[in-house]
Amino acid sequence: MADRVVVTGASSGIGAATVRRFAELGWETVAVARRADRLHALAAETGAHPVVCDVTDEAQVAAMAAEVEATGGATGLVNNAGGALGTESVESASNDDWRRMFEVNVLGLRTVTAALLPVLRAGAAHGGWASILNLTSTAGLAAYAGGGGYNAAKYAAHAVTEVLRLELAGEPIRVMELAPGLVHTEEFTLNRLRGDAAGARKPYEDVVPLTAEDVARVLVGAFVQPPHVNQDLIVLRPVAQSSVFHTHRGPLAPKAG
Ligand SMILES: NC(=O)c1ccc[n+]([C@@H]2O[C@H](COP(=O)([O-])OP(=O)(O)OC[C@H]3O[C@@H](n4cnc5c(N)ncnc54)[C@H](OP(=O)(O)O)[C@@H]3O)[C@@H](O)[C@H]2O)c1
């Protein structure tokens, strides 16, 4: 069986860049998201197999897994679908926003993983190995004021990744996590700020952030390591961002000796 990777959240940003990067290296991909038009455009460009699926809907996820199995199986899964909603404090946040963040970033990841594990095991039985990589965030490693439900959801996704690695011990399935810092994608902050385009430009002003392509290159790099090499947790930031709390604005320059 050729290597075939399922990528969720493939209709934009990091997910789409990941599908493109896998395709450049000759890997087959299954591109999963809710927006059919974008998936079909990506499929025409990369040869990905598109599957329209809301990862928060268990019936749709079961149908997606059945389609993956029927169309060639899989040896890899990238749980990338996710996002943030709002920057309100814990005191003033809306439970509906928190629920939606948990549903996509945590429950969606769990549902997709559970549905695809039998398919990945079959892939490993055939090809020797399988891989799962969860896209979390530095927001899952350090809390910040206003991080609220997104921090909580990504901390949870980080914990689920660690639990899964323990539970799959003894199987030839690696479980990896990639936690990016500031990445400038088209929609992430726009969605978080509910369409406030001016506000969404601000975090990226006067700084060189990561691009979706930067993240995809490192992500796919984890898959092309020898299969016994498990990069448990990859933390990836732009040089200008030394922590969640320290982003250097303006040009970077060596200190005068
Ligand atoms: N951008 C950053 O600064 C950053 C930093 C660290 C981590 N991350 C994480 O990296 C991942 C990708 O982020 P991004 O910047 O590429 O964001 P993005 O461009 O907003 O992409 C999010 C993707 O998730 C999909 N998605 C959302 N809800 C879904 C659902 N219910 N079912 C299926 N697909 C769903 C969206 O597609 P549809 O709307 O078509 O379904 C879209 O393709 C997310 O998990 C995010 O939390 C981002």
Side-chain angles (χ1 to χ4, degrees):
M1 181 201 291
D3 280 311
R4 191 170 192 239
V5 183
V6 178
V7 181
T8 69
S11 62
S12 64
I14 294 167
T18 297
V19 167
R20 290 193 181 97
R21 182 68 185 149
F22 273 123
E24 277 167 22
L25 300 186
W27 289 46
E28 290 182 26
T29 55
V30 178
V32 175
R34 293 168 301 181
R35 285 172 293 179
D37 53 341
R38 283 173 164 255
L39 287 184
H40 288 123
L42 185 68
E45 179 194 333
T46 61
H49 179 88
V51 182
V52 176
C53 169
D54 182 334
V55 299
T56 68
D57 181 313
E58 291 186 49
Q60 290 187 33
V61 171
M64 178 273 288
E67 185 167 341
V68 171
E69 188 175 22
T71 56
T75 52
L77 166 63
V78 178
N79 279 308
N80 165 76
L85 266 182
T87 55
E88 290 80 7
S89 65
V90 170
E91 183 179 10
S92 62
S94 124
N95 278 347
D96 281 343
D97 287 347
W98 280 49
R99 232 173 256 121
R100 285 170 66 191
M101 285 189 273
F102 263 77
E103 280 184 357
V104 64
N105 291 291
V106 188
L107 299 179
L109 178 155
R110 195 212 71 79
T111 309
V112 169
T113 303
L116 282 174
L117 259 174
V119 181
L120 293 169
R121 284 196 176 103
H126 208 265
W129 302 87
S131 308
I132 298 170
L133 185 144
N134 294 337
L135 219 303
T136 60
S137 171
T138 52
L141 305 173
Y144 54 91
Y150 187 58
N151 277 140
K154 288 302 194 186
Y155 267 80
H158 170 65
V160 170
T161 309
E162 303 227 310
V163 171
L164 185 67
R165 189 178 307 112
L166 292 168
E167 291 177 352
L168 298 188
E171 299 194 63
I173 304 176
R174 54 184 169 185
V175 178
M176 303 179 286
E177 176 179 357
L178 174 54
L182 186 68
V183 190
H184 192 178
T185 54
E186 206 183 315
E187 300 184 352
F188 176 83
T189 307
L190 199 57
N191 287 337
R192 182 173 205 169
L193 301 183
R194 307 174 212 285
D196 170 5
R201 280 194 291 274
K202 279 219 163 63
Y204 314 108
E205 277 170 5
D206 221 12
V207 65
V208 181
L210 297 172
T211 64
E213 290 71 29
D214 294 329
V215 179
R217 211 177 311 110
V218 172
L219 188 163
V220 173
F223 278 75
V224 301
Q225 297 305 312
H228 64 283
V229 176
N230 194 105
Q231 299 192 60
D232 286 14
L233 171 61
I234 304 165
V235 180
L236 184 67
R237 303 181 208 270
V239 172
Q241 190 187 37
S242 48
S243 84
V244 170
F245 308 104
H246 300 92
T247 300
H248 179 86
R249 309 266 163 195
L252 300 172
K255 281 184 183 136

